[in-house]
Amino acid sequence: MDNTANIDWTSLGFGYVPTDYNVRVSYKDGKWGEIEVTKSDSINIHMAATCLHYGQEIFEGLKAFRGKDGKIRIFRLEENAKRIRRSAEGIMMEPLPVELFKEMVIKVVKLNERFIPPYGSGASLYIRPIELGMTAQVGVKPATEYLFMIFVTPVGAYFKEGFRPAKIAIYRGYDRAAPLGTGRWKVGGNYAASLAAGQKAKEGGYAAVLYLDPKEKKYIDECGPANFFAVRDNTYITPKSDSILPSITNMSLQQIALDMGLKVEARPVPVEELATVEEAAECGTAAVAAPILQVDDIDTGVKYVISKNGEPGPVTTELYNRLRGIQLGDLEDTHNWVTVLD
C-alpha cells in the first residue's frame, strides 16, 4: 500500500484532513448489518431524524500511532468500545458490540494506512467513531434505527509551542453538564454546552475553562473537553463526580502514577485546594497531559499560581513521557493497552 500521502506532517494542526475511506454499519429491524466501506464523506439523513431533534448522538476519540519499528499501534481500543456502549445505554441508543467496534476501527485504520504520520513527527491518526439516531419521528422517544460510522484524520502534535504550562479560567456562570445528567457520557450536547465559556476564555487569553460542580460550585469538575488532575505530596489527585466523563487517558495516567510509586485519590476536590497543589494538568486524548500554569477564578478574583517557575512539573512530565512512550512502542506495554496491527 502507498504510504506516501502528500502531507507536511510537521505543520499539521488538530483539524480535519480528508482521507481515503470511512466505515459504516446500520442498525435496522433489531440487528446490526454488515460493515460498509465507502469513500463518501457525507451521509443521507432524514430531516426528522432523532439525532437532529432530540440529541441521540454519541462519539468517541482515540488514536493510532506509527512506532520506530514501523508498526501501527492503536491505544486502548477496547476501553473506547466499552465507553461508547455506556454512552449509548445512557441516552437509549443501541449499543454496538465490542467486537464489531474493534473490527471497524482496525479496518478503517488499515484502509487509511498511508495517512498515519511517521514516527518522530509528533503527529498521529485520530479515529472518530460516531453513532446517530436515524429514525424519522417527531415524538420524543428513542430511535429504532441507528447509523454507526468511523472516520479517521491525521492530526498534528498538540503542543506546537512545546510542552509548556498555560493559564486557564473559572467562570462560575457556566455549567458543562447537569448533576446526574449526560456529563458522564460522550454526548455532543455536552460540548455544545461548553462552547460559550470556551470562546470567552479564548478571548480572555486562556487555554481552557475549568468548570466547577454544577450543583454547589464548590468542587472542581472537568477542564473543558478534558479531565483534570493535580499532584501533591506524592499523590495523584483527580475529581470524582457523576457529571464528569470518565477519561480513558486519566484512567491510564492513574495506573502509570501507581507504577511510579504515587498514591492515587479520585474524590471531590474543593476549588480552594488549588492553593496547595504542586502541579496540575488537563488530560485527554488530544494532549495526553497539558500542564497548567495558573487558574484564575474570574468571579472571585482569586488567582491560583500552580507552576511557580513557569515550567511543567516533574511528575506531569514523567506521566506524559511514559504514556507517550507506551503509545509509540518506545516503552513496554505492561498493561496490554496497545493493539499492534499486523
Side-chain angles (χ1 to χ4, degrees):
M1 182 178 286
D2 179 16
N3 283 312
T4 57
N6 187 23
I7 293 174
D8 180 2
W9 304 109
T10 57
S11 65
L12 271 177
F14 199 88
Y16 177 74
V17 175
T19 52
D20 290 334
Y21 301 98
N22 60 83
V23 295
R24 311 174 183 196
V25 65
S26 293
Y27 182 85
K28 294 180 180 178
D29 302 320
K31 63 181 184 298
W32 290 101
E34 297 298 316
I35 298 172
E36 174 193 357
V37 176
T38 178
K39 290 187 173 184
S40 173
D41 58 3
S42 62
I43 59 175
N44 185 17
I45 190 167
H46 196 283
M47 62 183 177
T50 59
C51 64
L52 300 178
H53 296 267
Y54 305 123
Q56 277 202 301
E57 180 275 343
I58 55 178
F59 69 99
E60 271 301 323
L62 60 161
K63 285 181 176 179
F65 305 85
R66 193 181 298 277
K68 187 185 294 185
D69 56 7
K71 293 182 179 179
I72 299 164
R73 292 169 171 81
I74 304 172
F75 187 66
R76 305 220 70 172
L77 174 54
E78 189 157 331
E79 286 302 323
N80 282 272
K82 293 176 182 176
R83 188 169 68 175
I84 202 166
R85 283 182 58 85
R86 293 194 297 270
S87 295
E89 291 162 354
I91 60 169
M92 300 295 290
M93 300 178 73
E94 182 62 32
L96 190 79
V98 169
E99 289 307 313
L100 181 54
F101 180 95
K102 291 165 69 175
E103 181 183 354
M104 290 178 73
V105 170
I106 291 170
K107 181 181 284 289
V108 76
V109 170
K110 286 184 173 180
L111 286 168
N112 295 285
E113 184 175 341
R114 72 190 188 96
F115 290 94
I116 302 175
Y119 176 84
S121 64
S124 58
L125 187 74
Y126 187 79
I127 305 164
R128 170 51 59 85
I130 180 172
E131 184 174 349
L132 303 171
M134 300 294 281
T135 306
Q137 61 191 36
V138 291
V140 183
K141 58 183 178 181
T144 58
E145 298 182 352
Y146 295 92
L147 172 66
F148 196 102
M149 59 188 301
I150 308 177
F151 67 85
V152 298
T153 187
V155 295
Y158 186 85
F159 299 107
K160 289 297 183 184
E161 306 302 322
F163 185 63
R164 308 291 303 171
K167 288 185 179 181
I168 62 174
I170 295 172
Y171 297 105
R172 292 171 179 260
Y174 295 89
D175 288 328
R176 187 190 66 88
L180 302 179
T182 59
R184 64 202 125 153
W185 306 311
K186 205 165 178 66
V187 176
N190 297 340
Y191 296 81
S194 73
L195 293 176
Q199 184 62 30
K200 188 173 183 178
K202 184 177 180 181
E203 291 170 357
Y206 296 98
V209 177
L210 181 61
Y211 290 91
L212 301 184
D213 78 278
K215 186 175 183 180
E216 299 181 279
K217 298 291 185 183
K218 291 182 178 180
Y219 304 98
I220 295 171
D221 203 74
E222 279 206 348
C223 195
N227 274 197
F228 172 91
F229 74 84
V231 177
R232 186 186 65 224
D233 298 333
N234 203 44
T235 303
Y236 181 107
I237 303 164
T238 193
K240 182 179 182 180
S241 87
D242 289 323
S243 61
I244 294 176
L245 179 73
S247 163
I248 294 167
T249 303
N250 193 354
M251 182 195 312
S252 305
L253 291 173
Q254 288 178 53
Q255 181 59 59
I256 293 173
L258 291 171
D259 295 344
M260 291 166 55
L262 276 72
K263 293 178 288 185
V264 171
E265 294 180 359
R267 56 170 172 78
V269 180
V271 64
E272 293 82 9
E273 197 169 326
L274 288 171
T276 67
V277 303
E278 299 157 10
E279 303 177 34
E282 53 179 311
C283 59
T285 299
V288 176
I292 294 170
L293 175 70
Q294 179 175 315
V295 180
D296 291 355
D297 191 335
I298 303 301
D299 296 285
T300 66
V302 177
K303 299 180 186 295
Y304 300 98
V305 179
I306 309 296
S307 174
K308 305 299 190 292
N309 61 2
E311 297 294 328
V315 175
T316 302
T317 302
E318 181 69 11
L319 288 166
Y320 173 83
N321 288 337
R322 288 199 185 198
L323 187 49
R324 288 284 293 160
I326 294 168
Q327 290 174 333
L328 293 167
D330 293 337
L331 295 177
E332 185 181 358
D333 177 24
T334 57
H335 300 292
N336 298 313
W337 288 341
V338 174
T339 301
V340 183
L341 302 192
D342 298 328

